């Protein structure tokens, strides 16, 4: 059976006082703290979709993501692990898990400042899309729960209702985001000079450079330097950035290690 393809964007009809304008938001470390796909893997582990060893490896990759910020290597590594673990899982189960993950993990990690920016765009009549390497099923749930227009995300190949572990097209990251937004703008009649884009990562400079209003949110060092050099607005919603963030990361490491130790102890007993 040929692989099923999911629509790259789920668009919600809405009044459009500004039909040619839109805003595009990255998800991980821009809209929310950390990597959304990690929490999906955590929930799938709770459902016994894969082993403790798999979960531990995924947890370490998420910790690297938290400590170093987003890098091309980290994103591809996390996505490759996720796709490998997802092979054989029913697509309907992932859609259900998406809502559980949002309620249990993602909602509390959303940056209020970024959410407020998205809501402001909606209030004045602009459409708002998420643009992320996160699987489209999860990105669509986040967009729906926040009342956004839709999402562009990585599309996993599906055969006979289950994931194959392969990607349809490319992982939506770096230059691929700019290409996807360009295609969306062409379909939707958007004028990119009148559009906004938000990201934390230098990997998204191609997307940010594509629009007339690029904004850096919680930027990594390279994006901060680029934004300053090009007079782009910078918003940092990480309170007490250095001290508080280091404390959070240390607590996260301790929590993950403790959780893995507790899981291992239960399995041995």
């Amino acid at each position: 059976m040929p692989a099923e393809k999911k629509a790259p964007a789920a668009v919600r009809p809405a009044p459009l006082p500004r039909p040619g304008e839109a805003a595009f938001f990255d998800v991980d470390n821009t809209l929310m703290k950390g990597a959304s796909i990690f929490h999906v893997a955590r929930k799938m582990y709770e459902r016994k979709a894969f082993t403790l060893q798999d979960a531990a490896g995924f947890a370490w990759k998420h910790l690297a993501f938290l400590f170093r910020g987003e890098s091309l290597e980290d994103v591809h590594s996390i996505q490759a692990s996720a796709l490998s673990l997802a092979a054989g899982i029913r697509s309907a189960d992932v859609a259900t898990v998406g809502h559980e993950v949002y309620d249990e993990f993602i909602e509390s990690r959303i940056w209020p400042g970024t959410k407020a920016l998205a809501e402001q765009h909606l209030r004045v009549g602009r459409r708002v899309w998420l643009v992320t390497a996160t699987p489209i099923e999860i990105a669509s749930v986040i967009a729906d729960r926040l009342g956004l227009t839709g999402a562009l995300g990585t599309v996993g190949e599906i055969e006979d209702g289950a994931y194959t572990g392969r990607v349809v097209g490319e992982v939506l990251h770096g230059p691929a985001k700019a290409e996807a937004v360009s295609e969306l703008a062409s379909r939707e009649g958007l004028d990119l000079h009148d559009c906004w884009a938000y990201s934390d990562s230098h990997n998204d400079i191609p997307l940010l450079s594509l629009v007339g209003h690029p904004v850096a949110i919680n930027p990594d060092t390279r994006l901060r330097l680029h934004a300053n050099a090009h007079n782009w607005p910078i918003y940092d919603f990480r309170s007490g950035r250095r001290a508080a963030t280091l404390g959070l990361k240390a607590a996260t490491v301790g929590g993950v290690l403790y959780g893995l130790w507790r899981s291992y102890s239960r399995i041995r007993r």
Side-chain angles (χ1 to χ4, degrees):
M1 179 180 290
E4 301 173 18
K5 292 187 179 181
K6 291 188 176 296
V11 180
R12 175 180 302 175
L16 298 173
R18 302 170 190 258
E21 302 178 16
F24 304 98
F25 285 80
D26 175 46
V27 173
D28 296 341
N29 284 339
T30 301
L31 177 65
M32 63 168 285
K33 189 184 307 176
S36 51
I37 189 65
F38 167 75
H39 301 293
V40 177
R42 177 177 173 180
K43 176 57 68 173
M44 295 306 293
Y45 167 69
E46 290 177 4
R47 289 174 167 236
K48 305 187 186 304
F50 43 81
T51 67
L52 178 62
Q53 182 178 359
D54 292 329
F58 210 90
W60 282 119
K61 286 174 181 168
H62 185 250
L63 290 176
F65 186 89
L66 283 172
F67 271 98
R68 295 198 302 259
E70 178 180 314
S71 72
L72 187 63
E73 294 77 13
D74 285 339
V75 170
H76 284 176
S77 178
I78 289 173
Q79 290 294 332
S81 295
L83 287 166
S84 175
L85 295 176
I89 293 175
R90 307 295 297 178
S91 59
D93 291 340
V94 173
T96 300
V97 163
H99 287 280
E100 295 178 8
V101 168
Y102 182 87
D103 290 333
E104 294 179 29
F105 307 118
I106 292 177
E107 185 174 25
S108 63
R109 288 170 170 79
I110 289 175
W111 299 107
T114 309
K115 182 181 177 183
L117 288 169
E119 290 172 344
Q120 176 61 23
H121 284 296
L122 291 172
R123 276 195 294 271
V124 300
R126 296 188 189 101
R127 286 172 283 183
V128 177
W129 275 276
L130 300 181
V131 186
T132 174
T134 296
I136 185 61
E137 293 83 358
I138 307 304
S140 294
V141 167
I142 298 172
D144 182 67
R145 298 295 290 272
L146 291 175
L148 308 182
T149 307
L152 297 167
T154 298
V155 179
E157 183 183 68
I158 299 171
E159 292 182 354
D160 298 326
Y163 291 98
T164 65
R166 297 184 293 270
V167 173
V168 176
E170 296 182 70
V171 171
L172 205 64
H173 186 259
K177 285 187 179 180
E179 294 173 10
V181 167
S182 292
E183 293 173 4
L184 178 66
S186 179
R187 291 197 307 270
E188 298 293 324
L190 301 175
D191 183 346
L192 289 171
H193 293 291
D194 293 329
C195 290
W196 277 252
Y198 300 82
S199 178
D200 71 294
S201 173
H202 68 277
N203 292 307
D204 287 340
I205 288 175
L207 169 61
L208 294 167
S209 301
L210 186 67
V211 301
H213 304 280
V215 181
I217 291 186
N218 306 328
D220 60 28
T221 301
R222 290 172 61 182
L223 178 56
R224 184 179 292 275
L225 291 172
H226 188 91
N228 282 326
H230 291 79
N231 295 316
W232 292 354
I234 298 174
Y235 296 117
D236 203 321
F237 299 125
R238 297 167 291 191
S239 59
R241 254 194 332 128
R242 295 187 181 275
T245 301
L246 286 174
L248 172 67
K249 289 174 179 177
T252 301
V253 171
V256 169
L257 292 176
Y258 178 74
L260 291 174
W261 176 80
R262 291 282 294 175
S263 297
Y264 178 69
S265 297
R266 285 196 296 270
I267 288 172
R268 290 195 65 186
R269 288 199 298 270

